[in-house]
Amino acid sequence: MREILGNDFEFLLEMMSDPEVMRYYPKPSTAKEVHELIDRMRTCYRRDGFGLWLVVHREAGYPLGRVGLVRQQVNGVDEVEVGYMIHRPFWRQGLATETATAVRDYAFRDLRLPRVISLIRPENAASRGVARKLGMEVRGRWQHAGLEHLVFAVDPPPA
Ligand SMILES: CC(C)(COP(=O)(O)OP(=O)(O)OC[C@H]1O[C@@H](n2cnc3c(N)ncnc32)[C@H](O)[C@@H]1OP(=O)(O)O)[C@@H](O)C(=O)NCCC(=O)NCCS
């Protein structure tokens, strides 16, 4: 995983305008929204030291998705979410599990976060599967982007 750069635009647009990938989001993203995401991530890296990172194939270097950490406010509480999106041709190869697990461990070991969450639409079975593999459990419900979401969370392992 590495920071997202301006010239990742084409890949991000291809993935984020795909109706199947975006099925559980309000709608597929436009070019303008992808540019805004890239700008937002560049700000997050500087401000927080983290954000969504680009997942690239280790040997061949081509992009596979975006996975990382995003600040969220849930019920008035500041939380950090493990966010994951893998492009459709690469689904079901364990990539979300592998990368989100690394991100979860980084959040606990290096950032010392007290917990991480994931906001997931109840009907998003694939995402719930990844959350389960991260050791997350449902701790509540929250209206996010105008849509009902389950709040999955996991705490650090005991020292
Ligand atoms: C959710 C997503 C990231 C999963 O990526 P992935 O790399 O295919 O996931 P993994 O291969 O690591 O799968 C992990 C587990 O999730 C579950 N899962 C994954 N895809 C699934 C599907 N299509 N249907 C049901 N369960 C699924 C399974 O339990 C799977 O474990 P298994 O393969 O051992 O059975 C991917 O489907 C995606 O990008 N979806 C669109 C974006 C999105 O909805 N992101 C989450 C927003 S909260």
Side-chain angles (χ1 to χ4, degrees):
M1 280 176 276
R2 62 153 174 83
E3 289 187 358
I4 290 173
L5 301 168
N7 58 13
D8 296 317
F9 169 77
E10 253 171 61
F11 166 75
L12 289 170
L13 181 61
E14 184 185 306
M15 176 173 71
M16 293 176 61
S17 62
D18 182 321
E20 198 51 37
V21 173
M22 300 302 285
R23 186 161 157 204
Y24 299 105
Y25 291 75
K27 59 172 189 54
S29 299
T30 61
K32 180 168 176 281
E33 287 161 345
V34 172
H35 279 304
E36 286 165 0
L37 173 92
I38 294 173
D39 288 348
R40 212 162 50 245
M41 287 308 117
R42 303 297 310 163
T43 303
C44 288
Y45 302 145
R46 280 196 304 274
R47 188 191 58 204
D48 304 325
F50 59 76
L52 292 169
W53 294 292
L54 199 77
V55 178
V56 297
H57 187 283
R58 199 192 298 272
E59 286 83 31
Y62 55 82
L64 302 164
R66 60 159 173 78
V67 174
L69 297 168
V70 186
R71 286 192 185 283
Q72 298 284 2
Q73 268 232 336
V74 179
N75 237 338
V77 179
D78 287 327
E79 302 275 8
V80 176
E81 177 180 29
V82 180
Y84 36 85
M85 179 182 288
I86 298 293
H87 194 16
R88 197 148 52 97
F90 313 114
W91 281 358
R92 221 58 201 263
Q93 298 177 33
L95 287 166
T97 302
E98 178 183 340
T99 50
T101 299
V103 166
R104 176 204 63 190
D105 293 347
Y106 174 74
F108 291 154
R109 192 187 54 236
D110 296 88
L111 304 178
R112 300 267 165 198
L113 297 182
R115 71 172 190 164
V116 288
I117 66 158
S118 217
L119 297 171
I120 301 179
R121 296 276 300 280
E123 54 275 50
N124 191 345
S127 184
R128 293 177 68 143
V130 176
R132 245 191 332 272
K133 294 204 168 194
L134 293 176
M136 290 182 163
E137 59 184 16
V138 180
R139 303 250 178 104
R141 287 175 177 266
W142 177 245
Q143 197 78 9
H144 174 65
L147 299 165
E148 175 79 0
H149 283 73
L150 298 171
V151 183
F152 279 76
V154 61
D155 307 317

